[in-house]
Amino acid sequence: SLSYFLKAKAINPKSPELLVAIGDVYMEQANGSEAVKYYTEALKLNPNYVNAHVRTGKLWTRSLNYAEAKIAFDKAIKIDSTFAPIYREYGELELTAKHFESAVENYKKYLFLTDKSLNSQLRYAKFLFYGKQFQESIDIIKQIVAKDSSDYINYRLLGYSSYEVKDYKAGLTAMNKFFSMNPAKILPQDYAYLGKLQVKNKLDSLGVNTITRAIALDTTSRDLYGDLSDAYFSMKQYKLSAETYELKLLNTKPTAIDYFNLGRKYYFGLEFAKSDSSFAKLLELNAAYKPAYLFRARNNVQLDNVDKINDGLAKPFYEKFIELTIADPKLDLKKSGKELIEAYKYLGDYNYTILKDNAAAIGNFQKVIEIDPNDKDAKLNIEGLIKESKK
């Protein structure tokens, strides 16, 4: 077709439409330098030829030149803001740049200006998924499937999005449908989502096998080890869960949430020293993170008991947890009350048992009563301490 277009150009060298068509051929051949030459030539002939600006923008998008692509699309919009392809390609640019909100907004404009074909709606559903608008993506996919259920991509996207909105039953149904349609290309992420959905539907062993298959297909994805770790955690194989999460963190710089997840897994695996170390590292990254102090306190309660030292190792961590919690202007005792009670009871026991300070202990248990007036344990302790103090 290129030779045909070049012959046509020899006959009619002043046709912007023909020059853009030649540029398109070169773009599809990944010959960007030739493509941009013809687009530029077309714009010299007609600076207001909107499609030439759009094709130039698309070329820059493929070249990952965000700034130049944006300039081209903005010029096109100034010339004709009703030209639908502008917004399709602008959306693709913003998706490539991971500007998901803008990507969705532009593709939505494209759909508004076109006949809303099923393929375009499917693409829009993908944009919504990448933009974490999962329920909106589900709604679009359901509309598509009601008209044509032949494309397996719909079920992949439906399975992924259903998992993200915690509709695990629907998600598993969709992913099973996806695999049953014999997709031309199965991604490691397909097995990962299927495995996670199996775990959420109490098919734990099956889920572990499926996620392990995903890892075999993509050994470079550290996140898959996190998924496998979560599957083991669901099976209450806590030690294996923690060890697998350690694989996720190999050759990476762990984040605060990584240390939280690892510390929690070690805690439930009764490996309190390792758990405490993880939460200590978390606090190096975020010294105001309340749950880390709570878990450090709990770990040190166990470590204190193991060593039979009773040195109150947990005391500073419970105190810091209380300090940060009650200083929170958004304090909700329905959410934090149980944990505060845990902390005050520990301090009450510590003040009574270790420091022999009955007054301080009574004060701690009274804090418990302020949170829960019906706490029998705190009431009994206060009564006992008052009687003892009168002797």
Side-chain angles (χ1 to χ4, degrees), residues 130-288:
Y130 289 127
K132 300 186 184 304
Q133 297 182 44
F134 303 116
Q135 188 57 56
E136 291 84 349
S137 180
I138 290 170
D139 294 340
I140 295 290
I141 292 295
K142 286 182 177 179
Q143 292 174 27
I144 296 172
V145 170
K147 299 174 183 176
D148 182 358
S149 60
S150 63
D151 191 342
Y152 60 80
I153 299 297
N154 288 307
Y155 295 99
R156 168 190 277 157
L157 199 55
L158 186 59
Y160 285 21
S161 296
S162 295
Y163 174 84
E164 298 297 345
V165 299
K166 297 181 171 56
D167 189 351
Y168 302 124
K169 185 177 180 181
L172 183 57
T173 299
M175 288 307 295
N176 283 335
K177 176 71 173 177
F178 166 76
F179 277 94
S180 73
M181 296 177 75
N182 298 313
K185 185 177 182 180
I186 297 178
L187 306 174
Q189 208 62 24
D190 296 330
Y191 285 111
Y193 267 101
L194 175 61
K196 291 188 290 186
L197 285 162
Q198 288 167 337
V199 170
K200 292 297 185 181
N201 282 276
K202 309 301 181 185
L203 303 172
D204 297 313
S205 297
L206 194 59
V208 164
N209 291 337
T210 305
I211 296 170
T212 301
R213 189 168 185 179
I215 292 172
L217 289 173
D218 183 6
T219 57
T220 65
S221 177
R222 312 317 303 178
D223 287 340
L224 292 176
Y225 286 101
D227 295 332
L228 183 59
S229 173
D230 291 343
Y232 284 131
F233 191 88
S234 179
M235 298 170 71
K236 299 184 179 179
Q237 295 187 24
Y238 301 122
K239 183 176 181 181
L240 190 54
S241 175
E243 291 171 351
T244 305
Y245 204 84
E246 290 277 16
L247 294 175
K248 176 183 184 292
L249 303 183
L250 282 177
N251 303 317
T252 65
K253 186 176 182 180
T255 63
I257 192 63
D258 284 328
Y259 284 125
F260 179 84
N261 289 334
L262 183 61
R264 185 169 172 270
K265 293 171 192 292
Y266 274 129
Y267 177 80
F268 282 99
L270 309 182
E271 297 189 61
F272 302 114
K274 289 183 178 180
S275 176
D276 192 51
S277 175
S278 295
F279 285 111
K281 290 175 182 177
L282 189 163
L283 289 171
E284 290 175 8
L285 299 176
N286 184 355

Side-chain angles (χ1 to χ4, degrees), residues 330-340 371:
K330 296 181 181 179
L331 173 60
D332 183 352
L333 288 179
K334 288 184 178 180
K335 293 181 178 179
S336 303
K338 186 177 179 181
E339 294 165 344
L340 283 171
I371 298 169

Side-chain angles (χ1 to χ4, degrees), residues 38-52:
Y38 280 95
Y39 295 149
T40 301
E41 191 176 338
L43 286 170
K44 285 180 180 177
L45 292 171
N46 182 2
N48 291 324
Y49 185 29
V50 65
N51 196 38

